[in-house]
Amino acid sequence: MDHKAFVNSVPGPVLAELSKTEDAAGLRHLAVHLGLILVLSLYVAAGAPFWWLAIMPLGIAICFLFTLQHEATHKTPFATLWLNEWVGRLAGLPILQPFEWFRCFHLAHHRHTNDPVRDPELIGGARPETWASYVVHVSGLPFWRAMACQVLSNALGANPGAYVPERARRRIAREARWMLLAYAIAAFSLFFSPVLFWVWILPCLLGQPFLRLYLLAEHGRCAFVADMFRNTRTTCTNRIVRFLTWNMPYHVEHHTLPQVPFHRLPELHDHMQGRHQVIADGYVAFTRDYAASMRGRDQAARG
């Protein structure tokens, strides 16, 4: 059974129930996520005992706002449309990722998942194949460079990509200009206080590798086919990771029915039991397997 056959097998009332959005679940999740960022930021800024130990967890919490922004592109975290729009925009600001542009990029990824020719994630070289490229990729530095260039390019009105419709380009340029203004104000503030360096810049640099490792598991080493049961991976993990990632480890579920909101994905997972074809027993296990596959490729290249 492929993903299309599965979707056709789900009774209409069940599918309608799973696809219902609501504000309450999203607002509760958002409040805890932002509360975690706020508490850790205040702890670091106050120079509390062992404050430096909080920098990396703070960076992880900030960088994983990506998964909230990702959900907002699908308009599923909240039933209220303007909440999805503004939360998506604001979530992208600290991670240097423009929401209007990313929505077009990500929807193209959904239309062409793991298609080497048309999936923008693959065209951008998101899957390292050698140890050198793996280390560079996981560092997060290529991401920061790419996003900085993307924001600047968007602000200048350059072509943001073939996946961006003409009607969206003015919005994308306007958003990027507002982002640049916000970053200019933040940079100016550093002349008077280093607080943003300690609660934003350094934490994000340290937290981004965890996001890169997480994202590799979504489609890394999956088949280049159109079936979501084969080109996408669901990763079994703990509640903390599922919380920070807004339930996106249920990634086969998300790609099969992207209209299902994050808080209903565990139920969809239950409906899919026995049908998953690509599943990982945690991110440590996936990373170990990914590393082993690179060793095998290196040996094949030398042999």
Side-chain angles (χ1 to χ4, degrees):
M1 175 182 284
D2 64 9
H3 79 280
K4 292 181 180 178
F6 169 77
V7 172
N8 291 333
S9 74
V10 180
V14 173
L15 185 56
E17 182 64 26
L18 286 171
S19 302
K20 282 184 180 178
T21 56
E22 62 172 87
D23 288 338
L27 288 171
R28 284 194 301 267
H29 203 107
L30 179 63
V32 178
H33 197 149
L34 293 183
L36 176 64
I37 292 173
L38 178 61
V39 168
L40 290 172
S41 296
L42 291 175
Y43 194 86
V44 171
F50 302 103
W51 61 271
W52 45 272
L53 289 176
I55 291 178
M56 186 173 288
L58 172 59
I60 293 170
I62 294 173
C63 287
F64 275 88
L65 287 172
F66 166 85
T67 51
L68 168 58
Q69 188 191 54
H70 156 267
E71 275 292 277
T73 65
H74 296 284
K75 303 180 182 180
T76 52
F78 312 101
T80 303
L81 291 181
W82 68 262
L83 265 177
N84 291 305
E85 293 294 302
W86 281 103
V87 167
R89 291 188 182 101
L90 294 174
L93 194 60
I95 60 173
L96 216 66
Q97 185 157 267
F99 176 65
E100 295 286 355
W101 167 82
F102 178 67
R103 172 158 45 197
C104 298
F105 175 96
H106 184 66
L107 295 182
H109 162 64
H110 267 264
R111 283 193 298 272
H112 309 297
T113 305
N114 246 25
D115 181 332
V117 177
R118 296 185 292 177
D119 185 344
E121 282 195 4
L122 291 178
I123 295 170
R127 316 280 166 76
E129 300 295 342
T130 65
W131 276 108
S133 62
Y134 181 81
V135 171
V136 172
H137 174 83
V138 170
S139 75
L141 296 178
F143 169 81
W144 294 121
R145 180 181 182 277
M147 287 301 97
C149 291
Q150 192 69 57
V151 172
L152 183 59
S153 175
N154 290 353
L156 294 173
N159 184 347
Y163 43 81
V164 178
E166 189 66 36
R167 65 181 182 278
R169 295 188 177 186
R170 183 174 296 179
R171 292 197 310 272
I172 285 173
R174 184 168 59 245
E175 176 189 49
R177 290 162 190 162
W178 279 109
M179 291 178 75
L180 286 178
L181 176 61
Y183 297 141
I185 294 171
F188 184 70
S189 76
L190 292 174
F191 288 104
F192 303 95
S193 169
V195 67
L196 283 183
F197 174 80
W198 294 109
V199 303
W200 173 40
I201 298 173
L202 181 59
C204 282
L205 290 174
L206 295 177
Q208 186 63 218
F210 292 88
L211 179 61
R212 293 299 108 196
L213 287 168
Y214 155 78
L215 290 173
L216 271 179
E218 292 183 342
H219 305 283
R221 298 295 185 262
C222 291
F224 298 125
V225 296
D227 180 10
M228 301 302 175
F229 283 177
R230 297 172 60 203
N231 66 23
T232 304
R233 176 181 289 100
T234 281
T235 303
C236 301
T237 187
N238 59 61
R239 291 183 179 182
I240 295 173
V241 174
R242 288 198 299 269
F243 173 82
L244 280 173
T245 58
W246 289 70
N247 274 340
M248 281 303 106
Y250 295 116
H251 214 60
V252 173
E253 293 77 0
H254 168 68
H255 265 263
T256 299
L257 288 167
Q259 74 271 28
V260 174
F262 74 97
H263 62 281
R264 305 301 295 268
L265 289 176
E267 296 173 61
L268 179 56
H269 177 75
D270 290 340
H271 284 284
M272 277 188 186
Q273 285 296 335
R275 296 183 173 90
H276 293 86
Q277 296 190 39
V278 187
I279 194 163
D281 187 20
Y283 288 95
V284 172
F286 167 78
T287 301
R288 183 176 60 245
D289 291 344
Y290 198 101
S293 73
M294 287 195 298
R295 283 196 297 272
R297 288 169 187 239
D298 287 344
Q299 290 168 359
R302 290 195 298 269

